[in-house]
Amino acid sequence: AFFAPIIRYAKEHNRSLNFLKQVFTGGARVNSKIAKQLCETFSEAEVFVVYGSTESEPIAVLNLNEDLKDLEEGERTGRGALVGTPVAEIDVWILDDEVIVTGEHVNKSYYQDPDADSKNKIAEDGKIWHRTGDAGFLDEQGRIWLLGRIGTKVGTQWPMPIEAQAECLHFVDKAAFIEWEQRPLLVVECSEQPQNWIELLDQICENVRVIRKIPVDPRHMSKINRQKLQEYLSI
């Protein structure tokens, strides 16, 4: 939400913003389209995706100058969202598909909220681990790939791999994969629709719906607001 208008301005005015040395983004899934545009627009900068949460920031960092091709390939093949290598100060544990972390900068408890502690903290081996609520896995290089939020799985499929595959198509601006009327549903925003758009999307999900705007959260203006989307589809 922050960088898209900057990238658009630079493109419209044929400007390379090459005076910046480092660029950091995050807060929601950064797809390969905008990742590539960031590298092109800030042509002299190191461009990073930072993955973390309010309770633990950062968890991992992805250097797009080095790993953009892996991000693109992972999206195309339905692997998920690559968010990078865990920072040295943190330990990562994958428990029942959930990314769980501990480290000096990971908060150990919530202020006067034992219920939140019991839901989100795990004491193990003398450490306090934080449950991120994100599903993911570590690849052969030790990098984190995200699959979606815990509780958003549709049947046997996590949403992020499906959404990322759909957004690889040039005409899809944003995608959301949800359960609707007891079936998987792929909802998409499209800037244009080629003649074979249905055929292309059917290869990803057989049940597709196009809407004008997928609702997003008011904080990041990027994360899919799945509850609002369900309400919109019910109208």
Side-chain angles (χ1 to χ4, degrees):
F2 179 83
F3 280 109
I6 297 174
I7 291 170
R8 188 164 54 249
Y9 175 89
K11 185 175 182 180
E12 289 172 355
H13 293 79
N14 195 29
R15 291 190 61 184
S16 174
L17 306 181
N18 56 9
F19 49 85
L20 293 183
K21 300 304 178 187
Q22 290 184 315
V23 173
F24 299 85
T25 187
R29 183 173 68 82
V30 179
N31 68 37
S32 60
K33 284 181 184 176
I34 196 166
K36 185 176 181 179
Q37 291 169 351
L38 283 167
C39 292
E40 292 171 347
T41 303
F42 303 100
S43 56
E44 297 299 318
E46 293 180 297
V47 185
F48 301 97
V49 172
V50 181
Y51 166 57
S53 66
T54 302
E55 298 88 347
S56 176
E57 183 79 49
I59 292 174
V61 178
L62 179 69
N63 187 327
L64 289 177
N65 305 93
E66 298 175 356
D67 292 328
L68 178 58
K69 290 189 181 299
D70 287 352
L71 174 62
E72 291 175 324
E73 178 67 11
E75 288 186 344
R76 188 183 63 79
T77 58
R79 200 172 193 191
L82 178 61
V83 293
T85 303
V87 297
E89 298 83 0
I90 212 163
D91 292 324
V92 178
W93 176 20
I94 306 296
L95 178 64
D96 297 329
D97 291 328
E98 185 174 4
V99 179
I100 299 176
V101 297
T102 190
E104 287 298 319
H105 65 287
V106 179
N107 85 319
K108 305 301 186 286
S109 64
Y110 295 92
Y111 180 66
Q112 296 183 353
D113 195 343
D115 288 341
D117 289 341
S118 64
K119 291 176 182 177
N120 299 294
K121 306 298 179 183
I122 299 173
E124 184 77 18
D125 296 332
K127 300 177 180 179
I128 302 297
W129 295 78
H130 172 66
R131 299 181 59 179
T132 65
D134 293 323
F137 65 92
L138 295 170
D139 67 12
E140 58 281 356
Q141 298 179 46
R143 301 175 302 183
I144 300 175
W145 292 76
L146 297 183
L147 301 170
R149 293 290 289 170
I150 296 296
T152 61
K153 200 172 187 179
V154 180
T156 61
Q157 295 176 296
W158 291 102
M160 278 190 180
I162 303 296
E163 292 161 0
Q165 270 191 305
E167 290 176 10
C168 284
L169 298 172
H170 72 277
F171 59 92
V172 175
D173 295 327
K174 196 171 189 66
F177 182 65
I178 62 172
E179 182 174 317
W180 176 249
E181 297 181 343
Q182 299 181 324
R183 294 179 60 198
L185 173 65
L186 178 62
V187 183
V188 294
E189 287 179 30
C190 296
S191 54
E192 57 179 292
Q193 293 169 233
Q195 288 187 339
N196 62 337
W197 69 274
I198 295 178
E199 177 185 338
L200 292 171
L201 288 169
D202 276 349
Q203 296 175 18
I204 301 170
C205 180
E206 294 180 355
N207 190 20
V208 178
R209 184 164 170 180
V210 179
I211 65 173
R212 187 182 63 83
K213 195 72 176 175
I214 293 174
V216 294
D217 71 300
R219 179 182 174 194
H220 300 91
M221 296 301 292
S222 300
K223 291 182 177 179
I224 297 165
N225 190 326
R226 297 177 192 277
Q227 182 178 345
K228 285 286 186 183
L229 179 57
Q230 293 275 355
E231 292 172 2
Y232 176 86
L233 294 173
S234 298
I235 298 174

PDB file of all heavy atoms in Angstrom, residues 51-53 55-56 59 98-101 120 130-135 146 149-150:
ATOM      1  N   TYR A  51       9.924  -9.920   7.618  1.00  0.00           N
ATOM      2  CA  TYR A  51       8.815 -10.676   8.196  1.00  0.00           C
ATOM      3  C   TYR A  51       8.926 -10.637   9.713  1.00  0.00           C
ATOM      4  O   TYR A  51       9.994 -10.897  10.270  1.00  0.00           O
ATOM      5  CB  TYR A  51       8.841 -12.124   7.703  1.00  0.00           C
ATOM      6  CG  TYR A  51       7.956 -13.061   8.501  1.00  0.00           C
ATOM      7  CD1 TYR A  51       6.590 -12.828   8.641  1.00  0.00           C
ATOM      8  CD2 TYR A  51       8.497 -14.193   9.128  1.00  0.00           C
ATOM      9  CE1 TYR A  51       5.789 -13.688   9.376  1.00  0.00           C
ATOM     10  CE2 TYR A  51       7.700 -15.062   9.856  1.00  0.00           C
ATOM     11  CZ  TYR A  51       6.344 -14.809   9.987  1.00  0.00           C
ATOM     12  OH  TYR A  51       5.553 -15.651  10.720  1.00  0.00           O
ATOM     13  N   GLY A  52       7.825 -10.287  10.359  1.00  0.00           N
ATOM     14  CA  GLY A  52       7.803 -10.253  11.808  1.00  0.00           C
ATOM     15  C   GLY A  52       6.388 -10.043  12.311  1.00  0.00           C
ATOM     16  O   GLY A  52       5.419 -10.159  11.552  1.00  0.00           O
ATOM     17  N   SER A  53       6.262  -9.738  13.584  1.00  0.00           N
ATOM     18  CA  SER A  53       4.954  -9.464  14.176  1.00  0.00           C
ATOM     19  C   SER A  53       5.137  -8.438  15.278  1.00  0.00           C
ATOM     20  O   SER A  53       6.265  -8.086  15.639  1.00  0.00           O
ATOM     21  CB  SER A  53       4.340 -10.746  14.746  1.00  0.00           C
ATOM     22  OG  SER A  53       5.106 -11.215  15.849  1.00  0.00           O
ATOM     23  N   GLU A  55       4.805  -8.849  18.321  1.00  0.00           N
ATOM     24  CA  GLU A  55       5.506  -9.470  19.442  1.00  0.00           C
ATOM     25  C   GLU A  55       6.951  -9.827  19.115  1.00  0.00           C
ATOM     26  O   GLU A  55       7.740 -10.105  20.020  1.00  0.00           O
ATOM     27  CB  GLU A  55       4.774 -10.751  19.881  1.00  0.00           C
ATOM     28  CG  GLU A  55       3.356 -10.539  20.368  1.00  0.00           C
ATOM     29  CD  GLU A  55       2.329 -10.581  19.246  1.00  0.00           C
ATOM     30  OE1 GLU A  55       2.716 -10.534  18.051  1.00  0.00           O
ATOM     31  OE2 GLU A  55       1.131 -10.653  19.557  1.00  0.00           O
ATOM     32  N   SER A  56       7.285  -9.847  17.847  1.00  0.00           N
ATOM     33  CA  SER A  56       8.635 -10.258  17.442  1.00  0.00           C
ATOM     34  C   SER A  56       8.985  -9.653  16.095  1.00  0.00           C
ATOM     35  O   SER A  56       8.529 -10.125  15.053  1.00  0.00           O
ATOM     36  CB  SER A  56       8.716 -11.788  17.353  1.00  0.00           C
ATOM     37  OG  SER A  56       9.973 -12.194  16.884  1.00  0.00           O
ATOM     38  N   ILE A  59      11.582 -11.341  12.386  1.00  0.00           N
ATOM     39  CA  ILE A  59      11.759 -12.793  12.464  1.00  0.00           C
ATOM     40  C   ILE A  59      12.689 -13.247  11.342  1.00  0.00           C
ATOM     41  O   ILE A  59      13.624 -14.006  11.574  1.00  0.00           O
ATOM     42  CB  ILE A  59      10.403 -13.523  12.379  1.00  0.00           C
ATOM     43  CG1 ILE A  59       9.569 -13.237  13.634  1.00  0.00           C
ATOM     44  CG2 ILE A  59      10.596 -15.032  12.197  1.00  0.00           C
ATOM     45  CD1 ILE A  59       8.153 -13.788  13.583  1.00  0.00           C
ATOM     46  N   GLU A  98       2.667 -24.503  12.300  1.00  0.00           N
ATOM     47  CA  GLU A  98       2.731 -23.111  12.756  1.00  0.00           C
ATOM     48  C   GLU A  98       4.175 -22.681  13.007  1.00  0.00           C
ATOM     49  O   GLU A  98       4.974 -23.423  13.567  1.00  0.00           O
ATOM     50  CB  GLU A  98       1.915 -22.926  14.033  1.00  0.00           C
ATOM     51  CG  GLU A  98       1.836 -21.474  14.484  1.00  0.00           C
ATOM     52  CD  GLU A  98       0.907 -21.276  15.674  1.00  0.00           C
ATOM     53  OE1 GLU A  98       0.383 -22.275  16.211  1.00  0.00           O
ATOM     54  OE2 GLU A  98       0.703 -20.111  16.073  1.00  0.00           O
ATOM     55  N   VAL A  99       4.479 -21.438  12.591  1.00  0.00           N
ATOM     56  CA  VAL A  99       5.791 -20.851  12.850  1.00  0.00           C
ATOM     57  C   VAL A  99       5.817 -20.333  14.287  1.00  0.00           C
ATOM     58  O   VAL A  99       5.007 -19.478  14.661  1.00  0.00           O
ATOM     59  CB  VAL A  99       6.088 -19.695  11.874  1.00  0.00           C
ATOM     60  CG1 VAL A  99       7.453 -19.079  12.175  1.00  0.00           C
ATOM     61  CG2 VAL A  99       6.021 -20.179  10.425  1.00  0.00           C
ATOM     62  N   ILE A 100       6.746 -20.871  15.083  1.00  0.00           N
ATOM     63  CA  ILE A 100       6.876 -20.491  16.490  1.00  0.00           C
ATOM     64  C   ILE A 100       8.311 -20.026  16.714  1.00  0.00           C
ATOM     65  O   ILE A 100       9.248 -20.655  16.212  1.00  0.00           O
ATOM     66  CB  ILE A 100       6.513 -21.676  17.404  1.00  0.00           C
ATOM     67  CG1 ILE A 100       5.058 -22.077  17.146  1.00  0.00           C
ATOM     68  CG2 ILE A 100       6.717 -21.344  18.869  1.00  0.00           C
ATOM     69  CD1 ILE A 100       4.599 -23.285  17.900  1.00  0.00           C
ATOM     70  N   VAL A 101       8.478 -18.929  17.453  1.00  0.00           N
ATOM     71  CA  VAL A 101       9.808 -18.323  17.565  1.00  0.00           C
ATOM     72  C   VAL A 101      10.154 -17.969  19.008  1.00  0.00           C
ATOM     73  O   VAL A 101       9.268 -17.761  19.846  1.00  0.00           O
ATOM     74  CB  VAL A 101       9.905 -17.046  16.701  1.00  0.00           C
ATOM     75  CG1 VAL A 101       9.736 -17.367  15.224  1.00  0.00           C
ATOM     76  CG2 VAL A 101       8.886 -15.995  17.132  1.00  0.00           C
ATOM     77  N   ASN A 120      -0.904 -17.937  23.345  1.00  0.00           N
ATOM     78  CA  ASN A 120       0.149 -17.574  22.392  1.00  0.00           C
ATOM     79  C   ASN A 120       1.567 -17.876  22.832  1.00  0.00           C
ATOM     80  O   ASN A 120       2.500 -17.678  22.055  1.00  0.00           O
ATOM     81  CB  ASN A 120       0.045 -16.077  22.068  1.00  0.00           C
ATOM     82  CG  ASN A 120      -1.280 -15.710  21.443  1.00  0.00           C
ATOM     83  OD1 ASN A 120      -1.596 -16.120  20.338  1.00  0.00           O
ATOM     84  ND2 ASN A 120      -2.078 -14.930  22.163  1.00  0.00           N
ATOM     85  N   HIS A 130       6.942 -17.944  21.153  1.00  0.00           N
ATOM     86  CA  HIS A 130       5.757 -17.199  20.717  1.00  0.00           C
ATOM     87  C   HIS A 130       5.131 -17.863  19.496  1.00  0.00           C
ATOM     88  O   HIS A 130       5.811 -18.151  18.507  1.00  0.00           O
ATOM     89  CB  HIS A 130       6.128 -15.756  20.371  1.00  0.00           C
ATOM     90  CG  HIS A 130       5.002 -14.998  19.743  1.00  0.00           C
ATOM     91  ND1 HIS A 130       3.841 -14.689  20.432  1.00  0.00           N
ATOM     92  CD2 HIS A 130       4.838 -14.499  18.479  1.00  0.00           C
ATOM     93  CE1 HIS A 130       3.025 -14.038  19.622  1.00  0.00           C
ATOM     94  NE2 HIS A 130       3.597 -13.915  18.433  1.00  0.00           N
ATOM     95  N   ARG A 131       3.835 -18.085  19.577  1.00  0.00           N
ATOM     96  CA  ARG A 131       3.086 -18.627  18.444  1.00  0.00           C
ATOM     97  C   ARG A 131       2.694 -17.464  17.529  1.00  0.00           C
ATOM     98  O   ARG A 131       1.935 -16.583  17.926  1.00  0.00           O
ATOM     99  CB  ARG A 131       1.832 -19.347  18.930  1.00  0.00           C
ATOM    100  CG  ARG A 131       2.120 -20.520  19.848  1.00  0.00           C
ATOM    101  CD  ARG A 131       0.839 -21.219  20.275  1.00  0.00           C
ATOM    102  NE  ARG A 131       0.103 -21.703  19.111  1.00  0.00           N
ATOM    103  CZ  ARG A 131      -1.050 -22.382  19.194  1.00  0.00           C
ATOM    104  NH1 ARG A 131      -1.578 -22.640  20.372  1.00  0.00           N
ATOM    105  NH2 ARG A 131      -1.644 -22.799  18.100  1.00  0.00           N
ATOM    106  N   THR A 132       3.193 -17.471  16.300  1.00  0.00           N
ATOM    107  CA  THR A 132       2.935 -16.353  15.382  1.00  0.00           C
ATOM    108  C   THR A 132       1.530 -16.385  14.796  1.00  0.00           C
ATOM    109  O   THR A 132       1.026 -15.363  14.335  1.00  0.00           O
ATOM    110  CB  THR A 132       3.934 -16.357  14.217  1.00  0.00           C
ATOM    111  OG1 THR A 132       3.733 -17.539  13.425  1.00  0.00           O
ATOM    112  CG2 THR A 132       5.369 -16.292  14.733  1.00  0.00           C
ATOM    113  N   GLY A 133       0.915 -17.581  14.769  1.00  0.00           N
ATOM    114  CA  GLY A 133      -0.375 -17.711  14.092  1.00  0.00           C
ATOM    115  C   GLY A 133      -0.246 -17.903  12.598  1.00  0.00           C
ATOM    116  O   GLY A 133      -1.247 -18.031  11.887  1.00  0.00           O
ATOM    117  N   ASP A 134       0.998 -17.940  12.101  1.00  0.00           N
ATOM    118  CA  ASP A 134       1.256 -18.148  10.675  1.00  0.00           C
ATOM    119  C   ASP A 134       1.643 -19.596  10.412  1.00  0.00           C
ATOM    120  O   ASP A 134       2.478 -20.153  11.129  1.00  0.00           O
ATOM    121  CB  ASP A 134       2.400 -17.250  10.190  1.00  0.00           C
ATOM    122  CG  ASP A 134       2.040 -15.785  10.213  1.00  0.00           C
ATOM    123  OD1 ASP A 134       0.868 -15.455   9.917  1.00  0.00           O
ATOM    124  OD2 ASP A 134       2.915 -14.953  10.520  1.00  0.00           O
ATOM    125  N   ALA A 135       1.053 -20.184   9.387  1.00  0.00           N
ATOM    126  CA  ALA A 135       1.464 -21.511   8.953  1.00  0.00           C
ATOM    127  C   ALA A 135       2.614 -21.374   7.966  1.00  0.00           C
ATOM    128  O   ALA A 135       2.635 -20.454   7.140  1.00  0.00           O
ATOM    129  CB  ALA A 135       0.298 -22.250   8.291  1.00  0.00           C
ATOM    130  N   LEU A 146       5.744 -18.936   3.990  1.00  0.00           N
ATOM    131  CA  LEU A 146       4.447 -18.855   4.645  1.00  0.00           C
ATOM    132  C   LEU A 146       3.354 -19.449   3.761  1.00  0.00           C
ATOM    133  O   LEU A 146       3.417 -19.361   2.531  1.00  0.00           O
ATOM    134  CB  LEU A 146       4.108 -17.399   4.981  1.00  0.00           C
ATOM    135  CG  LEU A 146       5.041 -16.695   5.968  1.00  0.00           C
ATOM    136  CD1 LEU A 146       4.534 -15.293   6.242  1.00  0.00           C
ATOM    137  CD2 LEU A 146       5.192 -17.476   7.257  1.00  0.00           C
ATOM    138  N   ARG A 149      -2.642 -17.934   7.412  1.00  0.00           N
ATOM    139  CA  ARG A 149      -2.898 -17.879   8.845  1.00  0.00           C
ATOM    140  C   ARG A 149      -3.493 -19.199   9.305  1.00  0.00           C
ATOM    141  O   ARG A 149      -4.268 -19.851   8.591  1.00  0.00           O
ATOM    142  CB  ARG A 149      -3.859 -16.737   9.168  1.00  0.00           C
ATOM    143  CG  ARG A 149      -3.298 -15.359   8.919  1.00  0.00           C
ATOM    144  CD  ARG A 149      -2.223 -14.998   9.907  1.00  0.00           C
ATOM    145  NE  ARG A 149      -2.748 -14.763  11.245  1.00  0.00           N
ATOM    146  CZ  ARG A 149      -1.989 -14.612  12.323  1.00  0.00           C
ATOM    147  NH1 ARG A 149      -0.666 -14.703  12.237  1.00  0.00           N
ATOM    148  NH2 ARG A 149      -2.542 -14.387  13.502  1.00  0.00           N
ATOM    149  N   ILE A 150      -3.123 -19.600  10.517  1.00  0.00           N
ATOM    150  CA  ILE A 150      -3.728 -20.783  11.113  1.00  0.00           C
ATOM    151  C   ILE A 150      -5.249 -20.576  11.159  1.00  0.00           C
ATOM    152  O   ILE A 150      -5.737 -19.533  11.580  1.00  0.00           O
ATOM    153  CB  ILE A 150      -3.181 -21.025  12.536  1.00  0.00           C
ATOM    154  CG1 ILE A 150      -1.677 -21.339  12.479  1.00  0.00           C
ATOM    155  CG2 ILE A 150      -3.947 -22.142  13.228  1.00  0.00           C
ATOM    156  CD1 ILE A 150      -1.313 -22.619  11.761  1.00  0.00           C
TER     157      ILE A 150
END
